[in-house]
Structure formats: structure tokens, C-alpha cells
């Protein structure tokens, strides 16, 4: 059964109330398009990154990782085409002074005040400009990267030489990206500072069918990654680009789209970019970035398949998809791998030192192997409610009987079912219930 779609406001309110995500610089009125992750939000975000890295790097033998810098030579952006082309068309309303992206307008009238006083579209460059060093002049201009991909392309040669890989192989990177979006919004869907998880998967250019085979493989892999982390299948679909919608260099592009509260929107893009990016850097830098195959003695510039996903956009989708308002509680059905805490430990009462001491001991013993939290505030019902709202899959309660019987109650988030588990079996029981077996994933990434 598909869960009813929550409104964005409900999820924003929960995110704020429970410490997932707050507006940046809120005490000074906030800054548009920037967000802070709170105590549980940072755990969710780390888990999303870790799940991606595990699937895309750790469980594979044909992908290596890198962490390249945010500040790069402006020549990179000249070569990549960002300096020339990375802009959106914007339109201003002369009456209410609001600003819109031209592609978001459907008529001649301002969607905000209704007047027919819109300006002609003007290009608005989206890269953030800064200066490197003490001098603020044209020679010191630099840009905050608008995507992580270019760091991989410009380092391509050093990476394949030191990573000891040959095509087909991939390079993965997770890191911040910055875009001066005209209309940031829909919570963390479109921000000005965000994070990307990108894979550049390099494949031989010949035969051409190999490129398309890898493209199809990655669309499938990425779709399944979301399903494996619990996204409801009917909320995810593919948008296949064709004709004029396809970038001129791209052989194929497919977006994974999610059914957001505001409608279907891009979640992740998977693009077959041919040799476009490497060729641009070869032309602009004069450096030979082609791959030399020692065995066949062949030299070639590989084509690239690029799955590119926003960390924040993925966090938003996992929150929206997991949200459910039941009659007596709100629950986040987060996949255990993504849940901020895997288990919460409670003493039934606070005024019984034996019970509290036993709960403290159990939580400490679990801590090295599981992300746990201790909670003794309010009554047990309230604590369950709080953990349900942040998606904790299992709660452990130490009660009066625990002292004699050396067992505890384990309560499951989704079913609310409770079981007695002996203390000496607890750690293995929890780990087994929470940690997915990656053997199946290992099989599914095989080519
Ligand atoms: N290197 C290819 C590239 O950057 P993109 O479609 O511009 O492609 C890829 O971005 C992904 O990054 C998007 O599918 C989305 O998940 C995320 N993304 C892009 N702009 C974003 C923004 N302003 N805020 C949050 N996420 C964004």
C-alpha cells in the first residue's frame, strides 16, 4: 500500500521540530537557499552519503573515489563551457519586483501580483564569484564549483594512473556545489549551497554499443538503489530525454523523477556524455588526457556515463517518502541504514536507580557497534513517539522485570510489536534486525 503523500509544510515542520534541518542564519532572518542540518539531520545525511559510497565504490572493484577542491582554476570553467553557458533566463516584475525563472512562467502576467509588467528575459549567471589571494582584480577571480564532476575530468590522468584502472572504470566523488539559483525553493529541493554525489564512469568509445549498454546498466542500478532503500516504487519514474531536449553532446539522458508534493520533479540525472568533457579539457589545456592501453597499445579518449545526484535532494526524498501520519502518531519509516539512530534505550522509570543503571550499561555496551541514543525524559509513550518521528527502527526498554530476568523489551517502529529479548542476545539480535546483508547488493552490482 502506498502511503498518502504528505504536504511539504508537514515535513518542513517535522524537520525543524526534531532537529533534521533548519534555515541557515535564522536568528538574522535567514539566508535564502541555504540550510543547516541539525543533530539528527546530520546523521541522516551521513547515512545517505555512506549508503551511496558503499553501493558505488566499496562493493565494486571498478570504481575509485576522490575528493577534489571547490576552488579550481577559472580555466576549468572556461573549458567546460560553464563560463559561457551556465546561466538561467530570468524575468522581473516591474510592479511587485519579484523575480522568476523564464521557464517557470506560463503567460505574460506576473504569477505573484497578476500584472502584465514582466521584463524581457535576461541571462543570469549562476556561478558564485570570489577572489583568490589579497588582490581583488580580474587576475584573481575564481568561482565556487557548480558541480563536482569537473574535478574528476581534470584529474583524469592522475586518477587512472594511481588508481591502476582501465576503462571501463569509474570515479566517484561527494562534495559541495554552489549555484546562485534565481528561485531557490521547495525546502531543500533547490538550494544555492548543496552537495552532490557524482560518478563519472569511463568506457571505451568503441564499440559504441558498449557505451549504451553501460548507460542502461547505470539507469537500472540507480533506480534500484532508491528502491533498495525503501522508496515506494510508484513514486519513482524515469524521464527519457529525446530530440531537442537532449544536450548536443549527449547520446542519451534519463532523469529519475520523484513524485514530490509539488508534482513530479528531477531527483537524479544519468547522462551519456560521450567524450565531450575530456575533449574540451584536452583542447583547452593542450594536455593529452587519453588513455593508453598497455595490452592493445591503443590510445583513446574514453566516453563517460554520469549518474549525478544531490545529497540534499536525496535526503528530502527519503524524508518525504518515509513520512506517515497515523491516528495516534507520526512515523518516519526510514530504511534502517538511513535512520539517524538504529536503536534507542530507555529505563522505564527515572527514579529507580537499578533500572536506570542497567539501561545506561546496556546503551554503553551497544554504542561501539550501533548508533544508539539514551532517553529517560518524559514517559515511555512520549519517548516512543519521539523516536518514531525521527525514524528509529528499534527501541529497547529496561523495566522492573528486567532486573530479575536479565531481559528487555524490544519494540519495533513500524508494527509497534514488542518482544522480550535476553540481554546476552540483545546486541546480535539488534544488529541482525538492523544491518542489511550486502551479499545481495554485491550480486546486483555485478556486470
Ligand atoms: N554534473 C552534472 C550535473 O551537475 P545537474 O542536473 O545540474 O547535473 C545533478 O545536477 C543533480 O544535482 C540534480 O539531479 C539534483 O539532484 C542536484 N542539484 C542540482 N542543482 C541543485 C540545487 N540547486 N539544489 C539541490 N540539488 C541540486
Amino acid at each position: 500500500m502506498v502511503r498518502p503523500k504528505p504536504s511539504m509544510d508537514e515535513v518542513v515542520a517535522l524537520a525543524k521540530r526534531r532537529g533534521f534541518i533548519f534555515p541557515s542564519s535564522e536568528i538574522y532572518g535567514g539566508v535564502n537557499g541555504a540550510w543547516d542540518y541539525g543533530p539528527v539531520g546530520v546523521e541522516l545525511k551521513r547515512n545517505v552519503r555512506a549508503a551511496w559510497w558503499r553501493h558505488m565504490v566499496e562493493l565494486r572493484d571498478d570504481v575509485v573515489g576522490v575528493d577534489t577542491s571547490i576552488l579550481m582554476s577559472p580555466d576549468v570553467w572556461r573549458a567546460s563551457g560553464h563560463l559561457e553557458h551556465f546561466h538561467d533566463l530570468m524575468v522581473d516584475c516591474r510592479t511587485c519586483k519579484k523575480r522568476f525563472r523564464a521557464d517557470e512562467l506560463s503567460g505574460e502576467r506576473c504569477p505573484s501580483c497578476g500584472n502584465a509588467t514582466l521584463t524581457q528575459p535576461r541571462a543570469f549567471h549562476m556561478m558564485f564569484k570570489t577572489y583568490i589571494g589579497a588582490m581583488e582584480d580580474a587576475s584573481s577571480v575564481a568561482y565556487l564549483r557548480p558541480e563536482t564532476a569537473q574535478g574528476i575530468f581534470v584529474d583524469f590522468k592522475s586518477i587512472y594512473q594511481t588508481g591502476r584502472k582501465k576503462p571501463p572504470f569509474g570515479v566517484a566523488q561527494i562534495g559541495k556545489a554552489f549555484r546562485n539559483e534565481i528561485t531557490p525553493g521547495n525546502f531543500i529541493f533547490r538550494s544555492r549551497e548543496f552537495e552532490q554525489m557524482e560518478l563519472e564512469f569511463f568506457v571505451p568509445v568503441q564499440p559504441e554499443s558498449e557505451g549504451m549498454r553501460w548507460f542502461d546498466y547505470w539507469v537500472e542500478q540507480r533506480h534500484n538503489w532508491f528502491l533498495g532503500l525503501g522508496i515506494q516504487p510508484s513514486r519513482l519514474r524515469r524521464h527519457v530525454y529525446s530530440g531537442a531536449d537532449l544536450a548536443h553532446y549527449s547520446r542519451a539522458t534519463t532523469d529519475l523523477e520523484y513524485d514530490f508534493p509539488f508534482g513530479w520533479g528531477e531527483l537524479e540525472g544519468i547522462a551519456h556524455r560521450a567524450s565531450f568533457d575530456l575533449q574540451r579539457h584536452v583542447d583547452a589545456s593542450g594536455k593529452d588526457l587519453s588513455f593508453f592501453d598497455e595490452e592493445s597499445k591503443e590510445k583513446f579518449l574514453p566516453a563517460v556515463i554520469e549518474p549525478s545526484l544531490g545529497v540534499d535532494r536525496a535526503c528530502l526524498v527519503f524524508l518525504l517518502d518515509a513520512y506517515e501520519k497515523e491516528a495516534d502518531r507520526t512515523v518516519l519509516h526510514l530504511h534502517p541504514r538511513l535512520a539517524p539512530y538504529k536503536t534507542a534505550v530507555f529505563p522505564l522509570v527515572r527514579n529507580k536507580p537499578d533500572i536506570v543503571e542497567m539501561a545506561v550499561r546496556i546503551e554503553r555496551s551497544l554504542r561501539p557497534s550501533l548508533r544508539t541514543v539514551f532517553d529517560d525524559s518524559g514517559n515511555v509513550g512520549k519517548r516512543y513517539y519521539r523516536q518514531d518521528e525521527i525514524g528509529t527502527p528499534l527501541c529497547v526498554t529496561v523495566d522492573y522485570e528486567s532486573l530479575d530476568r536479565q531481559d528487555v523489551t524490544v519494540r519495533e517502529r513500524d508494527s509497534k510489536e514488542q518482544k522480550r529479548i535476553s540481554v546476552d542476545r540483545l546486541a546480535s539480535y539488534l544488529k541482525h534486525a538492523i544491518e542489511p546483508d550486502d551479499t545481495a547488493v554485491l550480486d546486483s552490482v555485478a556486470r
Side-chain angles (χ1 to χ4, degrees), residues 291-324:
F291 179 84
F292 180 69
D293 190 342
E294 297 287 351
E295 270 170 46
S296 63
K297 305 290 176 213
E298 266 181 331
K299 207 168 132 178
F300 63 92
L301 208 54
V304 70
I305 313 297
E306 177 194 68
S308 173
L309 170 64
V311 179
D312 313 81
R313 207 170 281 185
C315 286
L316 175 60
V317 161
F318 287 122
L319 284 174
L320 287 166
D321 204 75
Y323 186 98
E324 185 169 31

Side-chain angles (χ1 to χ4, degrees), residues 86 146-149 179 181 188-196 198 200 266-269 273 306 308-314:
F86 198 58
E147 61 170 22
T148 63
R179 295 181 189 182
E181 300 279 359
I188 53 173
F189 177 82
R190 183 176 287 115
S191 319
R192 290 183 168 136
E193 173 177 344
F194 59 101
E195 226 172 296
Q196 285 186 318
E198 299 198 286
E200 306 303 322
E266 177 183 338
L267 168 59
E268 167 160 3
R273 300 176 62 90
E306 177 194 68
S308 173
L309 170 64
V311 179
D312 313 81
R313 207 170 281 185

Side-chain angles (χ1 to χ4, degrees), residues 159-179:
I159 298 169
Y160 84 67
Q161 284 172 343
T162 54
R164 305 179 58 236
K165 296 284 175 212
K166 65 183 215 179
F169 83 99
V171 184
Q173 162 149 249
I174 302 179
K176 287 265 184 177
F178 301 83
R179 295 181 189 182

